[in-house]
Amino acid sequence: MDYFFRVDSDSNIGAGHYERCYTLAKKLSQKFKVNFISTNLTLNQKKKLKKTKIGIIKINNISSISSDATNTAKIIKKGDVLIVDGYKFNNHWISFIKKKTKNIFLNNDFEKKFNCTTINPSEIFVDHVRKKFGIPIIKRNFLVDNFERQFYQIKKSKTILLCLGGSDKENYSEKIIDILSSSKLKKFKVKVILGELNTNFDNLNKKFKRKKNISIKKNIKNLKNIYAKSAFCILAGGTMSREAITFGIPSMIFKVSFNQEQNINFYKKNKIYECFNINNINKINKNLFINKLIKNINTFNFSNFLKIISFSGYDYLDRYLFLLSNRDQKPAFKLKQTSWKDFIFLFNLANQNRKKSFSKKKIDILEHYNWFKKKISSMNSKNYILYNNDIKLGQIRLDKKYKDYYIDYSIDKFYQGNGYGKIIVKLLLSKFRSKNYNIYAKNLNTNFKSKKVFTPLCVSFKKNYNKKTVIFKLK
């Protein structure tokens, strides 16, 4: 069984579809054979695939969606997994491919009904019944694991990053550079990044060559360092705006394409970024825009930083990998000690399960940060993440209270119903079997799933607090 990606990239389509697929393919290629099926890819995109040992299969003479489906179906075999990314692929195309394989996953930002598993990269949600999931697809190497250092880098930086996508055919970049040429921003360095498909490089360099604080570069390979050292971003509402969230960078986002609507709505709904429609660029008051930008930079604080980064959805990529490959791998469960790389995962996990917790109040990101900082360095707390192969499934913790230890565990809602609760508790008990610990689990009497986990493992139990709580002695 092989993995195939059906995706194209050109000046009309842009590079976002390819980048999402490449992020997934790079991870899958570590264990499986992966191929891209494409009509168009750029030279650098092909080089990236070859470097990662991902195959490229070119299909030609695509005169219609039907001929596209016919040519694609000739390549794949029964049982292969096909990941599709693009807006032209409809149910007619999917139905034709289903004659060869049922394992079809479609990346699509729009709320349409497709007869295959659908991934919306602009949202975060779980719907196993309808096989629809909101999963941001973020590069693995964009993980921040030292939050205070990253925040201080943002605060001391004097760089404003501008990028309006892979092609920017209408050359909106020029109009925004005109705004950023203001003398009010002379203390800042404006770094303009043009995508590989952008044809305006020479003209922009010629026009702004006398502006010493403006640097224009094309097709930068390593964006990680640029993100990490930027004080502010002005971006299109596509893939790069999602990436900026993982670094906690304050930003202004422009909707430059119809397919960015859901990202823009997500940012507005959660008050992450201020958003604009690029079609209104000529109506923008330059002074107000510059003043607002400077104010955002100057007033940006650690709480703002944490709020942005809390929406990164970095670990949600594991959910997609689980859907794609879990059935094809042997289970390999293990506990790993918690680190700062797990901070956002644990924050999202904690707020998923408030109904089953003793405190129902939603946890604030700054509150979680202060709690986590104490907990991870405490001698009285032992913290672990449950993995199956490389996928994070949940957390378990032992907290010492006087001479006894109490378990706290939770499984990500995406993976619930697979028996992972019992597995994580058994692994922890096994880990401390040789220690002379008294281990207890305090459980709400109405939390039937946890009671089902603890009951066969306990040596005794008792009810208290007006029978609302059960305490299990596990060891």
Side-chain angles (χ1 to χ4, degrees), residues 390-447:
D390 298 324
I391 295 174
K392 293 180 185 180
L393 301 176
Q395 68 83 29
I396 193 162
R397 189 177 75 246
L398 270 184
D399 287 325
K400 188 176 182 181
K401 294 181 181 178
Y402 304 106
K403 294 182 180 180
D404 299 326
Y405 285 86
Y406 284 81
I407 280 182
D408 175 276
Y409 88 90
S410 52
I411 302 297
D412 187 311
K413 66 180 180 181
F414 189 87
Y415 311 106
Q416 290 176 8
N418 292 295
Y420 298 143
K422 186 172 289 186
I423 289 169
I424 198 172
V425 174
K426 281 186 173 180
L427 284 173
L428 186 81
L429 293 176
S430 176
K431 192 174 189 68
F432 291 97
R433 185 164 286 130
S434 60
K435 304 285 185 179
N436 189 26
Y437 290 169
N438 291 320
I439 298 178
Y440 296 88
K442 188 177 177 182
N443 199 85
L444 285 173
N445 203 30
T446 53
N447 190 346

Side-chain angles (χ1 to χ4, degrees), residues 99-295:
K99 296 173 185 177
K100 290 294 282 291
T101 181
K102 305 289 185 186
N103 304 322
I104 302 173
F105 298 82
L106 175 67
N107 299 336
N108 196 290
D109 306 85
F110 299 114
E111 289 297 317
K112 295 180 181 179
K113 291 183 179 180
F114 295 99
N115 52 11
C116 67
T117 301
T118 309
I119 311 298
N120 185 337
S122 302
E123 289 285 349
I124 300 172
F125 63 86
V126 178
D127 190 340
H128 285 287
V129 176
R130 294 192 298 162
K131 294 185 177 180
K132 292 185 70 173
F133 307 95
I135 304 177
I137 302 171
I138 308 296
K139 290 184 178 71
R140 286 293 198 181
N141 65 333
F142 283 2
L143 172 66
V144 171
D145 58 2
N146 189 321
F147 296 92
E148 290 181 11
R149 182 175 64 193
Q150 172 60 18
F151 171 70
Y152 290 128
Q153 271 195 180
I154 292 172
K155 289 300 291 181
K156 73 179 183 181
S157 173
K158 295 296 180 182
T159 298
I160 297 171
L161 172 63
L162 168 64
C163 183
L164 294 183
S167 57
D168 187 20
K169 289 173 64 179
E170 293 80 6
N171 198 18
Y172 291 122
S173 296
E174 181 179 355
K175 295 185 178 182
I176 295 181
I177 298 172
D178 279 329
I179 297 173
L180 300 179
S181 299
S182 167
S183 59
K184 292 182 178 180
L185 294 174
K186 62 183 179 181
K187 293 182 180 179
F188 291 90
K189 183 176 182 180
V190 178
K191 190 167 285 188
V192 183
I193 305 297
L194 304 181
E196 185 182 0
L197 299 166
N198 194 305
T199 59
N200 306 309
F201 178 74
D202 291 335
N203 290 334
L204 289 174
N205 262 317
K206 185 178 180 180
K207 179 175 179 178
F208 297 103
K209 65 180 179 181
R210 293 184 180 179
K211 298 288 184 179
K212 294 182 179 179
N213 69 323
I214 294 176
S215 167
I216 302 172
K217 303 290 183 183
K218 184 175 180 179
N219 196 31
I220 299 296
K221 293 181 180 179
N222 187 2
L223 281 171
K224 181 179 179 180
N225 290 335
I226 296 174
Y227 280 128
K229 296 177 182 178
S230 296
F232 198 86
C233 290
I234 299 173
L235 303 168
T239 302
M240 284 190 69
S241 63
R242 281 286 180 175
E243 293 172 350
I245 289 178
T246 67
F247 292 91
I249 309 169
S251 303
M252 290 176 174
I253 308 299
F254 281 86
K255 178 190 169 186
V256 301
S257 176
F258 72 96
N259 60 304
Q260 295 171 2
E261 184 72 33
Q262 286 217 23
N263 264 348
I264 297 296
N265 290 340
F266 182 80
Y267 301 148
K268 288 179 177 178
K269 175 185 172 183
N270 294 293
K271 298 180 180 178
I272 304 170
Y273 292 141
E274 185 166 4
C275 301
F276 303 85
N277 191 320
I278 201 69
N279 294 326
N280 299 325
I281 188 71
N282 294 322
K283 298 178 183 178
I284 287 178
N285 183 305
K286 293 183 180 181
N287 284 325
L288 287 177
F289 186 87
I290 295 294
N291 290 340
K292 189 174 287 188
L293 189 157
I294 294 171
K295 183 181 178 181

Side-chain angles (χ1 to χ4, degrees), residues 9-20:
S9 179
D10 58 32
S11 58
N12 292 315
I13 298 169
H17 302 286
Y18 165 85
E19 288 297 335
R20 294 192 301 218

Side-chain angles (χ1 to χ4, degrees), residues 7 17 206 309 372 387:
V7 64
H17 302 286
K206 185 178 180 180
I309 217 165
F372 186 80
Y387 284 81

Side-chain angles (χ1 to χ4, degrees), residues 1 3 79-81 103 105 322-329:
M1 186 198 71
Y3 287 78
D80 285 340
V81 177
N103 304 322
F105 298 82
F322 181 87
L323 288 171
L324 292 172
S325 63
N326 184 61
R327 65 181 179 278
D328 304 314
Q329 298 184 83

